[in-house]
Amino acid sequence: MTNRLAETLSPYLRAHADNPVDWYPWGEEAFAEAQRRDVPLLISIGYSTCHWCHVMARESFADPATAALINDGFVAVKVDREEHPQVDGAYMAAASAFTQNLGWPLTVFTTPRGRTFYAGTYWPPEARAPMPAFRDVLAAVREAWTQRRAQAEESADAVTEALARAAETSPSDLPDPAAIAAAATAIAQREDRQFGGFGAAPKFPVATTLRFLQHPLVREGAPDAAAAAGRALAAMADSDLRDADGGFFRYATQRDWTVPHYERMLTDNAQLLDVARDAGDEQVVRGIAAFLVGVLRREDGGFGAAQDSESVIDGARSEGGYYLRPVPERAELEPPAVDGKVITGWNGLAIGALARAGAAFDESAWIDAAVAAADAVLRANRDSDGVLVRASLDGRASAAVATVADLALLADGLFALALATGELQWATTARGILDHAIAGGGGRDPLLSAQGIASSPDHTDGDLPSDAAAVAGAALTAWWLGAGEGYREEATGIVRTLAARSLEQPFAHGTLLRVAAGLALPPRQLVVVTAARDGALADAARGAEAEVVAVVAPDQARRFADAGFALFEGKDTTAERAYDCRAFVCRLPVSDPAEVSATR
């Protein structure tokens, strides 16, 4: 049979279109059918490059007998977590009440109105201790619903109430430098001194945490904690986690970074590009950039979400087999598929990272790739009213709403692109998108709201910054560029709201703590006004440590100032000059590259 998924946008959903399961995509139709039949929803959440999602699909969802049990007792809903991150977040939070082994595929059983009363991840077709067989789980859940329904609904209500309590926060003071350094030291206590990185197996890159540890305030106040970031990057770069072509895999299943989970995500690689750039590791920078531009970039210029862990070799599905071949031999094989969804916020991460790296390493091709991606996202990722949405595929916009993080991460990437190119349009577009996010743009999935499905806002970083931290970070960048004190106040308000929680759990709040550090340390802003973008004065500035490095022509400086970016006011001189500022207080301009300090 062909179910309702064949015409959806998601490659993940399309891959299940021929299952015997009578799948519905996420939407009102599935809820209406569950309420009509008065049966639970079985909500299966995954993504196209997820290995265990593939395994469960082959073992269970493609099996006619298992499908019959699902179709008879449930309304089955298939969700792409990358297209609907808020749905995934809501049900992941609910699932934590039932299992500590969270991940994907996520399998959730809910009331007809979407409230969770049981959940788990992968279940095999036959029992493998300690995991029961999936068919036995289906039978037990159906029995619970038909024989002990009141108990199931009571469990769902308890989960809903717990999520509501978890959403409560209490503002506190801004963290001072000592508190921020202490948070970094607490993170460093989790360092694996033998193999690098943090914790035991499975081991993840945790790029958001590494970026916090790299902040100048941490380097000054907690130097050993800051050094842990460099040790982690070096360990990962010299391990199986890094593919021979330069791209990084999602995580390692072993403590020593061996036996990777072979999927390769845009989120990880974009953020690790920034980590490597800050560390001055040019080899790693060039490898990641080559992977982004050569593998994940789509024909329209946007970047796809991920590359699969599996490929077909000699007629059989193989996990990791392609990556285990020497690079020259790969040319003879069909490479693992790339999920071509162009996700708004994820592309914002890539745009910013490539723009910064391109400027730092004098690689115009990387900046050009960032420009092309920005054009692609701003063109294709819009609904019929011109509002930015979550994603697009082959130029077709998704109906899924953009998250707040999508808007903020794209804005921050466009600010970086403005600095790398000297072009005002990127900064004004970024400011408009950020203003929309601050005013409540993006936001909650409408069906979650309509059904009253609880979703405690997750203010912790996962594989990318949280919504709140992303907005705070973009607002801080806008302030650095002179867009107004209101942006600093916005960043300050967000950090104050979450400060106590971030200091208690610093490992999970790397992005927010980096913003806190940015508020506690006066920013260095370097503006070079020159007609020679590739001249010695511009090169000296690009090699310096600063929060803002802008190389602009006199007329560009004037346009930035006229558009409300106060950092550029009074800097439209026709003589080549470098302005070295600390929180908008500038020293006398210089024209000698030797007078531009490389350090703060």
Side-chain angles (χ1 to χ4, degrees), residues 23 40-44 61 70 74-78 107-110 134 138:
W23 291 114
L41 290 154
L42 184 163
I43 301 175
S44 174
F61 300 142
I70 295 172
F74 307 88
V75 169
V77 180
K78 179 61 73 173
T107 310
V108 183
F109 298 94
T110 81
F134 183 48
L138 294 171

Side-chain angles (χ1 to χ4, degrees), residues 45-47 79-85 88 104 265 390 463:
I45 304 174
Y47 56 104
V79 179
D80 183 337
R81 69 171 292 257
E82 295 173 350
E83 188 178 12
H84 294 283
D88 175 59
W104 301 275
M265 311 298 294
R390 169 68 175 172
D463 50 0

Side-chain angles (χ1 to χ4, degrees), residues 189-205:
Q189 291 172 352
R190 299 178 59 174
E191 183 185 11
D192 181 344
R193 287 283 185 157
Q194 182 176 358
F195 295 110
F198 301 91
K203 191 174 279 187
F204 290 80

Side-chain angles (χ1 to χ4, degrees), residues 55-247:
V55 172
M56 193 165 180
R58 290 192 291 266
E59 291 177 342
S60 295
F61 300 142
D63 175 60
T66 303
L69 292 175
I70 295 172
N71 295 340
D72 186 50
F74 307 88
V75 169
V77 180
K78 179 61 73 173
V79 179
D80 183 337
R81 69 171 292 257
E82 295 173 350
E83 188 178 12
H84 294 283
Q86 296 173 354
V87 176
D88 175 59
Y91 285 117
M92 186 65 74
S96 66
F98 302 95
T99 178
Q100 294 181 339
N101 299 318
L102 298 173
W104 301 275
L106 179 63
T107 310
V108 183
F109 298 94
T110 81
T111 68
R113 295 197 62 83
R115 293 190 170 195
T116 303
F117 65 88
Y118 189 62
T121 54
Y122 163 81
W123 280 298
E126 305 296 337
R128 302 174 198 160
M131 293 184 290
F134 183 48
R135 286 188 291 270
D136 292 340
V137 172
L138 294 171
V141 170
R142 185 174 185 184
E143 180 186 12
W145 180 254
T146 56
Q147 303 298 321
R148 299 183 300 279
R149 178 165 177 167
Q151 183 178 343
E153 291 180 332
E154 182 180 342
S155 175
D157 290 342
V159 170
T160 299
E161 292 169 6
L163 291 174
R165 288 194 300 271
E168 298 172 358
T169 58
S170 298
S172 60
D173 294 334
L174 276 178
D176 61 17
I180 294 167
T185 299
I187 291 173
Q189 291 172 352
R190 299 178 59 174
E191 183 185 11
D192 181 344
R193 287 283 185 157
Q194 182 176 358
F195 295 110
F198 301 91
K203 191 174 279 187
F204 290 80
V206 291
T208 54
T209 300
L210 299 183
R211 292 286 287 137
F212 165 54
L213 295 180
Q214 289 180 311
H215 194 276
L217 188 152
V218 177
R219 288 207 307 271
E220 180 179 340
D224 189 61
R231 291 190 289 267
L233 178 67
M236 290 186 292
D238 194 36
S239 76
D240 293 346
L241 191 74
R242 181 174 179 239
D243 186 41
D245 72 359

Side-chain angles (χ1 to χ4, degrees), residues 271-532:
Q271 293 176 99
L272 287 173
L273 179 56
D274 271 330
V275 172
R277 178 188 53 81
D278 265 6
D281 194 327
E282 184 172 351
Q283 182 185 30
V284 174
V285 166
R286 292 190 176 279
I288 297 174
F291 167 68
L292 294 178
V293 174
V295 177
L296 291 189
R297 184 165 60 171
R298 305 291 86 199
E299 288 185 5
D300 66 356
F303 292 98
Q307 187 176 30
D308 210 327
S309 61
E310 295 187 1
S311 62
V312 176
I313 299 178
D314 297 329
R317 298 288 296 183
S318 170
E319 186 198 7
Y322 175 88
Y323 302 109
L324 293 171
R325 300 286 183 95
V327 171
E329 292 184 17
R330 295 183 188 179
E332 305 170 4
L333 302 173
E334 184 71 21
V338 170
D339 184 326
K341 288 197 310 296
V342 175
I343 298 175
T344 298
W346 297 16
N347 272 257
L349 288 171
I351 290 164
L354 284 168
R356 287 183 285 267
F361 291 95
D362 193 25
E363 283 290 349
S364 60
W366 300 348
I367 299 174
D368 291 344
V371 168
D375 282 334
V377 171
L378 294 172
R379 180 179 61 252
N381 290 26
R382 296 186 183 275
D383 64 16
S384 57
D385 295 324
V387 176
L388 283 166
V389 297
R390 169 68 175 172
S392 64
L393 180 69
D394 299 329
R396 176 186 166 199
S398 169
V401 297
T403 67
V404 174
D406 281 326
L407 302 179
L409 294 175
L410 178 60
D412 209 43
L414 295 178
F415 281 135
L417 193 55
L419 292 173
T421 62
E423 295 295 334
L424 172 65
Q425 61 166 321
W426 303 119
T428 55
T429 300
R431 184 174 58 190
I433 293 170
L434 175 58
D435 288 346
H436 181 51
I438 291 172
R444 200 160 186 258
D445 179 279
L447 187 54
L448 291 178
S449 299
Q451 294 294 335
I453 299 169
S455 57
S456 172
D458 188 356
H459 297 305
T460 61
D461 293 341
D463 50 0
L464 73 167
S466 70
D467 281 1
V471 172
L476 184 62
T477 302
W479 175 66
W480 286 341
L481 293 177
E485 281 296 313
Y487 293 102
R488 187 183 190 281
E489 292 169 2
E490 178 69 22
T492 298
I494 292 171
V495 172
R496 287 187 68 250
T497 298
L498 300 171
R501 185 176 297 182
S502 66
L503 293 174
E504 291 171 1
Q505 303 171 339
F507 196 83
H509 293 84
T511 304
L512 193 86
L513 288 169
R514 184 175 174 86
V515 176
L519 291 167
L521 186 70
R524 183 187 185 191
Q525 301 143 308
L526 274 171
V527 179
V528 175
V529 181
T530 177

Side-chain angles (χ1 to χ4, degrees), residues 548-576:
V548 173
V549 176
V551 178
V552 291
D555 62 321
Q556 291 176 321
R558 191 176 308 113
R559 286 197 291 270
F560 270 92
D562 290 345
F565 293 96
L567 176 62
F568 298 86
E569 288 181 357
K571 298 181 177 66
D572 56 347
T573 175
T574 55
E576 185 176 69

